[in-house]
Amino acid sequence: MSTQTRIDRRFAELKREGRPGLVTFITAGDPDLETSKQILFGLPAAGADVIELGMPFSDPMADGPAIQASSLRALTAGQKMRDTLDMVAEFRKQDQDTPIVLMGYYNPIYVYPNDKFLVEAREAGVDGLIVVDLPPETDDELCIPAAEAGLNFIRLVTPTTDEKRLPKVLQNTSGFLYYVSITGITGTAAPDVNKVHKRIELIKQSTALPVAVGFGVKSAEQAKALGAVADAVVVGSALVGAIAQNLNEDGTSTSKTVPAVLDLVGSLAAALRAV
C-alpha cells in the first residue's frame, strides 16, 4: 500500500510517544446494537488506541468461550454485517482518527459478497481486516483486493510459526502484525511473558511492522509486562467478559454494562502508559 493509513499514523504516534498502544476488541452488536454502540463510541476516550470490532459469526473456531458467547449474543440480538458497517460509519462522524479493524471469519464477508463488502467497508471508515481463517495461500481471494481498496490486511503469527513460514505470512501483511501469545483459542490461558519477549525479538528481525500481542491478556499487570516489548497489547476476552458479567439474568444490558467495560479499558490504558 502506497498511502499511509490511520493504522500507520497511530503506530507512528505511539512510537513518538515512546509507549505501547492498547488494542481493544469487542463484538459488534453485543449484547445489543445500542449498547454495543455506546461501548464503541466510548473506547477512544477510555484509552483505546486501536479498535478491533468483531464480525459476529456462528462458528468462531479460534475463539474461546467468552468471545463465542459474545458472538452468539450479537447474532441472537439480530446483528447483521450491514449493522456492523453502519456502526463504523456512525463512529466516524465523531472520530476521524482512531483506527478500526474488523476481525473475524471469512464466511460473513464471502456471502456479502467480497466486492460489495470491500467498497462499503472503505466507505464506512474501516481501516483494516483480520480474517483468521484465510491463510496466505489464499491472498488473491481477499487480502490483495483489500489492499487495493485501501485497507490494511493484518496477519496472525503464532508460537508455532517457524522461520520458514514467517516470510510467507509477512508477504502481504500491512498495518501491524498480530502475535498470538498462546497456543490455542482466545482467553483460555495466560501468556508466558518471557517466551513472548523472546519470540517478538525474533519476529522483529524479519519485519519493520509494529507487533501487537493478544490472546489471553486479561489484567493490567499482564498488559504492562507484555507492553515492555510489544508495540501494542490486544485485549478482547476480558472486555467481552465484563459485558457478560454485567447483564441481567435474561441477557439484557444494565446500567453497569457500559461503565464496566470502559473502566476496564481505562485501567489497561493507564498500565500501558506507565511502561
Side-chain angles (χ1 to χ4, degrees):
M1 297 178 64
S2 58
T3 58
Q4 195 178 55
T5 66
R6 284 191 189 94
I7 295 173
D8 298 329
R9 292 193 292 271
R10 180 50 52 93
F11 276 101
E13 289 169 8
L14 292 169
K15 188 174 182 179
R16 286 194 297 271
E17 293 175 15
R19 67 175 179 88
L22 174 61
V23 182
T24 56
F25 172 94
I26 61 169
T27 298
D30 173 34
D32 58 75
L33 182 57
E34 289 308 313
T35 304
S36 187
K37 283 183 184 179
Q38 290 178 44
I39 295 170
L40 174 64
F41 299 167
L43 286 173
D49 296 296
V50 179
I51 297 169
E52 289 179 3
L53 191 59
M55 299 174 285
F57 181 49
S58 59
D59 188 22
M61 66 192 81
D63 293 302
I67 293 179
Q68 286 183 21
S70 73
S71 202
L72 179 59
R73 287 193 298 268
L75 292 172
T76 301
Q79 186 77 4
K80 301 287 192 295
M81 181 67 82
R82 182 66 260 168
D83 301 317
T84 300
L85 296 176
D86 287 344
M87 282 179 68
V88 178
E90 194 170 339
F91 176 88
R92 283 286 168 241
K93 293 178 182 178
Q94 67 180 42
D95 188 316
Q96 284 292 323
D97 299 317
T98 305
I100 290 187
V101 176
L102 295 186
M103 183 173 184
Y105 301 83
Y106 184 41
N107 183 273
I109 296 172
Y110 177 78
V111 300
Y112 199 74
N114 288 14
D115 291 347
K116 181 182 178 184
F117 170 81
L118 290 174
V119 169
E120 295 185 8
R122 183 64 178 165
E123 289 176 348
V126 173
D127 301 292
L129 302 175
I130 301 175
V131 185
V132 300
D133 54 349
L134 278 183
E137 286 75 16
T138 64
D139 275 358
D140 289 342
E141 184 81 12
L142 185 66
C143 173
I144 292 172
E148 291 172 348
L151 300 174
N152 288 123
F153 203 88
I154 296 137
R155 290 282 189 202
L156 304 181
V157 172
T158 74
T160 59
T161 304
D162 59 24
E163 293 180 5
K164 183 178 180 181
R165 180 65 174 169
L166 184 59
K168 185 69 174 178
V169 175
L170 292 172
Q171 184 173 302
N172 291 309
T173 299
S174 62
F176 64 92
L177 192 65
Y178 189 140
Y179 179 66
V180 177
S181 62
I182 60 172
T183 303
I185 54 179
T186 59
T188 55
D192 183 317
V193 174
N194 290 329
K195 288 183 179 179
V196 172
H197 280 207
K198 291 177 182 177
R199 187 69 173 129
I200 291 178
E201 288 172 356
L202 288 173
I203 291 169
K204 282 181 169 288
Q205 294 176 15
S206 299
T207 181
L209 286 171
V211 179
V213 178
F215 278 52
V217 183
K218 295 183 178 180
S219 69
E221 292 75 18
Q222 286 177 324
K224 186 175 182 179
L226 292 170
V229 67
D231 298 293
V233 176
V234 186
V235 182
S237 294
L239 300 185
V240 299
I243 292 174
Q245 292 160 18
N246 289 277
L247 299 176
N248 288 314
E249 290 184 3
D250 63 357
T252 57
S253 62
T254 71
S255 60
K256 297 179 180 179
T257 307
V258 175
V261 178
L262 299 183
D263 287 349
L264 177 54
V265 171
S267 69
L268 293 162
L272 286 170
R273 289 171 191 271
V275 172

